[in-house]
Amino acid sequence: MQVGFCKIHGANLRKFAVGRVQFAIKNIFLLQTAHRKLQTISYFSNSMTDHIIVAIDGYSSCGKSTLAKALAKKLHFVYVDSGAMYRAVALYFLRNKIDLEDSRQVSEALKNIHLNFHSRDYETHITLNDEEVSAEIRLMPVSESVSAVSALHDVRKEMVKQQQRMGRSKNIVMDGRDIGTAVFPEATVKIFMTADPRVRAERRFKELAPKNPGITLEEVFENLAHRDYQDTTRKESPLRRAEDAIILDNTDLTPDEQLLFALSKVEPYL
């Protein structure tokens, strides 16, 4: 009886062992299959544009950069300051006395302009041919020439190409004049900012006065009016609100209030 029990017990052990091996093999197969599926999903996820793009357009000195920086920081997105790119080009043109009427000069100059963004102390900085120019591009001479420079076809074509490259594989917040209409017409969220012209001039004056002694509020107001006219009437990607853009009038809003407004529009897509 004991011998029979051992035989039966041994047979059960063999069945058990075989079963465990088969189970292990099946699990390995399932794991390999799952791994391949994950790789496939990962491949398609990386190939598709399933990231979020927030386009912030609007008039000069409406606080677009302030909002875009705060929003990108809050969401851990990449902030791309398109206005700084055009200002850096304008700075290069001023330094090298490029004739804006000479398309050959403009085209050749663009070949020598290399722009990059980098972060330092939670701020985004721009370099022009490896030179930090974040402060210099905000001075009045650049402000007075940037609209004319950004209206040039070759300039916009080159900058749009670089901006679109930045937005292909990252969650980004980009501000400018034509982000929601020309650069990223398929942007996830589009915000168009505006404010009372006098309030905009006062904000800009406070920003410029410390670095531009002698400047007056009236000069700043006239400069903004001139830039508005150039931006809205130029042939190349004029400033206009995209049909699906959300209007944000921040005349009476604090930076925190406009940030909360923008967050409420982006959060449904997170």
Side-chain angles (χ1 to χ4, degrees):
M1 187 69 180
Q2 185 65 29
V3 174
F5 173 78
C6 288
K7 286 181 179 179
I8 294 171
H9 186 63
N12 286 339
L13 282 174
R14 283 193 297 275
K15 288 181 181 179
F16 176 77
V18 171
R20 295 299 296 173
V21 171
Q22 291 174 333
F23 178 76
I25 292 173
K26 184 178 180 181
N27 276 351
I28 291 172
F29 174 76
L30 290 173
L31 286 171
Q32 289 175 334
T33 302
H35 181 66
R36 283 194 295 271
K37 286 182 178 179
L38 285 173
Q39 286 181 318
T40 302
I41 292 170
S42 177
Y43 170 78
F44 282 111
S45 295
N46 291 331
S47 301
M48 295 170 64
T49 54
D50 58 352
H51 47 281
I52 297 173
I53 297 174
V54 181
I56 300 178
D57 292 308
Y59 294 96
S60 180
S61 298
C62 279
K64 297 187 299 296
S65 295
T66 298
L67 175 59
K69 290 176 185 177
L71 188 61
K73 184 177 179 180
K74 188 74 173 178
L75 297 173
H76 300 287
F77 285 12
V78 175
Y79 167 59
V80 180
D81 184 354
S82 70
M85 296 172 71
Y86 287 105
R87 282 175 171 271
V89 173
L91 175 61
Y92 182 91
F93 283 8
L94 286 172
R95 286 178 173 180
N96 293 276
K97 297 180 172 56
I98 303 299
D99 182 0
L100 302 187
E101 301 295 327
D102 189 331
S103 59
R104 185 187 61 81
Q105 274 195 43
V106 170
S107 180
E108 287 300 314
L110 288 171
K111 295 177 183 178
N112 299 316
I113 294 176
H114 304 284
L115 305 178
N116 279 303
F117 286 98
H118 64 278
S119 295
R120 187 176 70 246
D121 301 326
Y122 302 102
E123 290 289 335
T124 300
H125 300 262
I126 188 170
T127 57
L128 168 61
N129 296 334
D130 297 323
E131 176 192 356
E132 168 70 60
V133 293
S134 299
E136 190 172 358
I137 62 173
R138 301 297 172 183
L139 298 180
M140 202 62 183
V142 175
S143 295
E144 291 175 340
S145 64
V146 65
S147 287
V149 170
S150 63
L152 298 175
H153 173 77
D154 286 346
V155 173
R156 297 205 72 83
K157 183 178 178 182
E158 178 60 28
M159 293 302 102
V160 167
K161 186 190 302 180
Q162 293 191 33
Q163 291 158 11
Q164 290 175 333
R165 188 183 305 120
M166 294 176 191
R168 285 196 185 108
S169 59
K170 301 174 183 177
N171 291 327
I172 65 170
V173 179
M174 186 181 295
D175 68 299
R177 302 290 195 281
D178 62 350
I179 310 304
T181 54
V183 184
F184 292 113
E186 78 288 0
T188 314
V189 177
K190 301 176 187 178
I191 296 175
F192 188 88
M193 295 182 67
T194 185
D196 180 88
R198 183 58 64 173
V199 172
R200 290 164 51 210
E202 290 171 354
R203 291 171 179 169
R204 184 67 174 153
F205 176 73
K206 289 179 182 178
E207 180 184 343
L208 290 173
K211 301 175 184 177
N212 296 268
I215 194 172
T216 66
L217 176 60
E218 198 59 35
E219 286 178 317
V220 174
F221 183 83
E222 291 177 1
N223 172 255
L224 289 181
H226 180 63
R227 290 180 64 185
D228 287 350
Y229 176 77
Q230 286 185 310
D231 290 341
T232 55
T233 59
R234 68 188 181 208
K235 294 181 179 179
E236 193 70 28
S237 300
L239 168 65
R240 63 180 179 82
R241 181 178 72 87
E243 292 183 1
D244 54 345
I246 303 161
I247 295 178
L248 170 54
D249 185 335
N250 66 359
T251 299
D252 300 312
L253 296 181
T254 66
D256 286 341
E257 288 172 336
Q258 69 177 15
L259 175 59
L260 287 174
F261 176 89
L263 281 171
S264 71
K265 304 304 178 184
V266 179
E267 284 177 344
Y269 299 96
L270 299 178

